[in-house]
C-alpha cells in the first residue's frame, strides 16, 4: 500500500480498507506531527514510541487515529507521573509491540487463513473474511486481555517472592535448552509444508510440557526451545519428559537437552548471562536423547534431595534407614559425572548426565 501526501490510500484493496476501519475502530485523521501535538508529546518521543512498537515511518501521511493519540498520551502520562522512566516506557512499547506483532502474524497466517476458506463453491475469500473477523474481534480481544492478566499475576507473584531487590532482576534460575538433532539435514530433505508441520508440532509439544510441569517457555527458535524454572527439580522433570515424549513419536527427530543453574538476568521476557550461555553449550555437546547439566545444577538437585550424590551414597542412606526402621529416602533423578571438557568461551566444565532414577515417577 502506498500513501500519498494527503493521507489517502492510492492502491489499497477495498477489503483491506474496510478491515482496517473495523479493527482499528476509527478512521485515519492525523499526520505523525498532528498526533504527537494532540497528545501533548514531543515529536522525538512520539517517534521513539512508534518505532519501539514496530510502526514504520510514514512521513507526513495521515496514518494515525484517535486511539494512537490516546496511547501516546497514556505512555507519556506514565512518564510525567514518575511511574516509568522514559527509557522504561520505550521498553514497554517495544516488548508489547514485539509480542503482539508475532501474535498477530500467527493469527492471520495460521488461524484466520483456515477460517476464511470459502465455505461454499462460488464464494470468494473477500466475501467471507470481513464477517468472520467482525465476529472474532471482540472475543479475541477479551481473551488476549484475560491471558495477559493471568500471566501478569504469575510474574508479579514470582517477583514479590524474590529474596531481595537485586534478585528481582538478577535471579537464580534453572535454564534449559532443548534442541532437535540433525535439523539442518532435515531442512534439505523435507518439503517446506512438512518442515513447518514438524516445527509446529515440536514447539506445541514443548510448550505444553513446559507449562504443565511448572516451567516457563522463554522462546522458540524453530528447532530449539529455551525454558526456565525457579526449581531445579522442575527443570529436570521437564527435560526428561521432553526426551521421553519425543522418543515415543516416530515422526520426531532425536532430542538433546542442556541445563544450567545460576544467576540469570531477565529483560523483556528473555534471559541472559553466563548461565544461559552454559546451558546452550551443554546442549551442543549432549548425546542424542540425553540431558546434560552443569555442576551447579547437579549440586542443587543433591541439596534438595531430588538426586543422590552417588548410588553408593543412596545405598548407604537406604541401609541406615532400614537399620533405624525408617523409610529409605526416595530420589527422582540420578546423576552421573562425565569427563571434564573445554567449552568454547566458558573454560573447562564438568557435565553431569541426568537420568530418571529407577523407581522414580514416570
Amino acid at each position: 500500500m502506498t500513501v500519498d501526501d494527503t493521507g489517502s490510500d492510492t492502491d489499497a484493496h477495498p477489503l483491506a480498507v474496510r478491515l482496517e476501519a473495523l479493527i482499528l475502530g476509527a478512521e485515519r485523521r492525523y499526520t505523525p506531527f498532528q498526533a504527537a501535538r494532540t497528545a501533548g508529546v514531543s515529536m522525538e518521543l512520539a517517534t521513539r514510541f512508534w518505532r519501539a512498537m514496530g510502526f514504520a515511518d510514514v512521513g507526513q501521511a495521515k496514518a494515525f487515529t484517535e486511539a494512537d493519540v490516546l496511547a501516546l498520551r497514556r505512555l507519556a502520562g506514565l512518564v510525567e507521573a514518575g511511574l516509568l522512566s522514559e527509557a522504561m516506557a520505550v521498553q514497554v512499547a517495544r516488548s508489547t509491540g514485539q509480542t503482539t506483532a508475532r501474535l498477530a502474524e500467527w493469527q492471520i497466517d495460521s488461524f484466520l487463513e483456515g477460517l476464511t476458506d470459502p465455505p461454499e463453491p462460488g464464494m470468494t475469500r473477500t466475501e467471507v473474511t470481513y464477517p468472520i473477523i467482525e465476529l472474532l474481534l471482540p472475543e479475541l480481544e477479551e481473551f488476549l486481555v484475560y491471558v495477559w492478566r493471568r500471566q501478569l499475576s504469575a510474574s508479579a507473584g514470582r517477583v514479590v517472592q524474590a529474596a531481595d531487590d537485586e534478585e528481582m532482576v538478577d535471579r537464580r534460575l534453572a535454564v534449559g535448552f532443548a534442541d532437535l538433532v540433525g535439523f539442518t539435514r532435515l531442512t534439505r530433505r523435507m518439503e517446506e509444508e512438512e518442515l513447518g508441520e514438524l516445527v509446529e508440532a515440536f514447539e506445541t509439544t514443548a510448550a505444553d510440557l513446559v507449562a504443565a510441569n511448572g516451567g516457563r517457555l522463554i522462546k522458540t527458535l524453530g528447532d530449539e526451545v529455551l525454558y526456565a524454572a525457579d526449581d531445579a527439580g522442575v527443570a529436570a522433570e521437564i527435560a526428561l519428559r521432553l526426551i521421553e515424549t519425543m522418543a515415543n513419536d516416530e515422526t520426531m527427530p532425536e532430542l538433546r537437552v542442556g541445563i544450567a543453574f545460576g544467576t540469570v538476568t531477565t529483560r523483556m521476557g528473555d534471559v541472559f548471562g553466563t548461565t544461559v550461555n552454559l546451558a546452550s553449550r551443554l546442549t551442543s555437546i549432549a548425546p542424542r536423547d540425553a540431558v546434560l547439566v552443569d555442576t551447579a545444577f547437579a549440586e542443587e538437585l543433591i541439596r534438595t534431595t531430588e538426586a543422590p550424590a552417588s548410588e553408593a551414597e543412596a545405598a548407604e542412606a537406604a541401609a541406615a534407614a532400614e537399620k533405624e526402621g525408617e523409610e529409605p529416602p526416595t530420589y527422582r533423578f540420578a546423576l552421573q559425572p562425565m569427563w571434564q571438557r573445554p567449552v568454547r568461551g566458558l573454560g573447562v566444565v564438568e557435565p553431569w548426565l541426568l537420568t530418571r532414577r529407577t523407581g522414580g515417577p514416570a
Side-chain angles (χ1 to χ4, degrees), residues 277-278 280-286 292 338-351:
N277 295 338
L278 179 53
S280 177
R281 299 288 188 270
L282 288 170
T283 306
S284 66
I285 62 174
L292 283 187
M338 308 293 283
W339 292 104
Q340 289 186 349
R341 64 191 73 187
V343 173
R344 180 167 54 88
L346 297 170
V348 177
V349 299
E350 181 183 11

Side-chain angles (χ1 to χ4, degrees), residues 131-166:
I132 288 291
I133 293 182
E134 189 174 29
L135 289 170
L136 283 174
L137 188 61
E139 301 301 325
L140 292 177
E141 183 176 17
E142 289 290 335
F143 186 69
L144 174 62
V145 173
Y146 154 73
V147 176
W148 171 71
R149 283 182 176 273
R150 293 290 301 182
Q151 295 288 1
L152 188 65
S153 173
S155 295
R158 288 192 292 269
V159 167
V160 298
Q161 291 179 48
D164 51 46
D165 289 346
E166 286 188 8

Side-chain angles (χ1 to χ4, degrees), residues 87-262:
M88 181 59 71
V90 171
Q91 283 192 9
V92 168
R94 179 169 289 111
S95 62
T96 306
Q98 290 177 354
T99 302
T100 52
R102 184 179 181 190
L103 174 63
E105 289 288 343
W106 180 88
Q107 288 175 332
I108 294 300
D109 292 346
S110 303
F111 185 46
L112 293 179
E113 183 177 348
L115 282 179
T116 54
D117 284 336
E120 297 179 13
M123 291 188 69
T124 65
R125 177 163 290 178
T126 300
E127 293 172 315
V128 178
T129 301
Y130 188 94
I132 288 291
I133 293 182
E134 189 174 29
L135 289 170
L136 283 174
L137 188 61
E139 301 301 325
L140 292 177
E141 183 176 17
E142 289 290 335
F143 186 69
L144 174 62
V145 173
Y146 154 73
V147 176
W148 171 71
R149 283 182 176 273
R150 293 290 301 182
Q151 295 288 1
L152 188 65
S153 173
S155 295
R158 288 192 292 269
V159 167
V160 298
Q161 291 179 48
D164 51 46
D165 289 346
E166 286 188 8
E167 195 178 329
M168 290 185 183
V169 177
D170 297 320
R171 303 162 58 191
R172 286 180 63 77
L173 297 175
V175 177
F177 277 93
D179 177 57
L180 291 175
V181 178
F183 185 76
T184 303
R185 291 194 302 274
L186 283 175
T187 61
R188 294 194 288 264
R189 296 203 320 261
M190 299 179 73
E191 297 290 335
E192 287 186 8
E193 185 173 348
E194 290 179 301
L195 194 63
E197 290 175 353
L198 183 145
V199 168
E200 184 176 356
F202 169 58
E203 291 183 350
T204 300
T205 300
D208 287 350
L209 286 172
V210 169
N213 289 280
R216 298 187 298 284
L217 186 69
I218 303 299
K219 59 186 173 185
T220 59
L221 304 169
D223 62 329
E224 189 173 60
V225 297
L226 170 61
Y227 70 92
D230 299 312
D231 181 84
V234 168
E237 184 66 29
I238 290 169
L240 292 173
R241 285 188 182 269
L242 282 170
I243 295 289
E244 292 157 1
T245 302
M246 297 299 174
N248 289 327
D249 187 342
E250 294 180 356
T251 66
M252 281 291 173
E254 295 162 305
L255 191 71
R256 55 190 177 190
V257 182
I259 315 176
F261 185 84

Side-chain angles (χ1 to χ4, degrees), residues 169-171 263-267 270-273 276:
V169 177
D170 297 320
R171 303 162 58 191
T263 301
V264 173
T265 298
T266 59
R267 289 286 187 281
D270 208 342
V271 291
F272 306 92
V276 180

Side-chain angles (χ1 to χ4, degrees), residues 262-315:
T263 301
V264 173
T265 298
T266 59
R267 289 286 187 281
M268 293 175 59
D270 208 342
V271 291
F272 306 92
T274 303
T275 301
V276 180
N277 295 338
L278 179 53
S280 177
R281 299 288 188 270
L282 288 170
T283 306
S284 66
I285 62 174
R288 296 166 183 258
D289 285 340
V291 182
L292 283 187
V293 305
D294 74 329
T295 298
F297 186 88
E299 290 174 347
E300 184 67 10
L301 283 183
I302 294 168
R303 185 187 71 80
T304 56
T305 67
E306 296 275 16
S310 66
E311 287 304 312
E313 182 178 290

